[in-house]
Amino acid sequence: MRRFRCTACGATTTVAPATVLTKRLYLASTMALAFVLLGVRHLAQRAVRVRLSALKTLGDGSSSRWDALLDWLNAVRERRLFPAVRTVPEGWPPWRIAERAATTLAALGPPALTPLEAAAFEGAARAG
């Protein structure tokens, strides 16, 4: 991603590849992979972050969680992200939301693509 500043007015704009979702700073496919790791493979949020986050330094408040991942899951719950995912029942924990999102996105991937990580990765790119 690149950020540009207007020399006349000082306004900035960020330019990213089309596969990066607006205001998310991550590829849809990366989000899907995070959902698989949390919801299906049952890795801890910290372990998911270590595998996928570009930021390797963790702040004190995020030593055991990944705020971006929780934001994505809330957006899925509210149907602002990946609206193809069925409505999530009230009270579901983050890992259950991730599981539903991961399996839905995998179903959108190419037929018979395995493992689930690859299918969800491709499905998210299509659903973007």
Side-chain angles (χ1 to χ4, degrees), residues 2-104:
R2 301 215 34 199
R3 183 174 289 171
F4 298 93
R5 182 180 304 276
C6 175
T7 56
C9 70
T12 62
T13 187
T14 302
V15 179
T19 53
V20 174
L21 297 180
T22 304
K23 298 183 182 180
R24 299 284 176 198
L25 303 181
Y26 282 87
L27 297 171
S29 298
T30 303
M31 293 178 196
L33 185 52
F35 297 158
V36 171
L37 295 175
L38 179 69
V40 179
R41 304 295 180 225
H42 302 288
L43 294 181
Q45 290 180 37
R46 179 183 176 87
V48 175
R49 182 179 185 173
V50 167
R51 284 191 180 194
L52 301 178
S53 177
L55 303 174
K56 299 303 177 193
T57 303
L58 301 179
D60 292 337
S62 62
S63 61
S64 65
R65 67 181 192 280
W66 188 12
D67 289 339
L69 176 56
L70 295 176
D71 289 344
W72 302 338
L73 292 170
N74 283 329
V76 168
R77 179 193 306 273
E78 296 167 3
R79 302 184 59 91
R80 294 181 288 112
L81 179 63
F82 301 123
V85 176
R86 293 188 330 268
T87 302
V88 175
E90 193 64 37
W92 267 20
W95 74 268
R96 288 293 310 264
I97 301 167
E99 178 184 47
R100 176 167 284 182
T103 55
T104 300

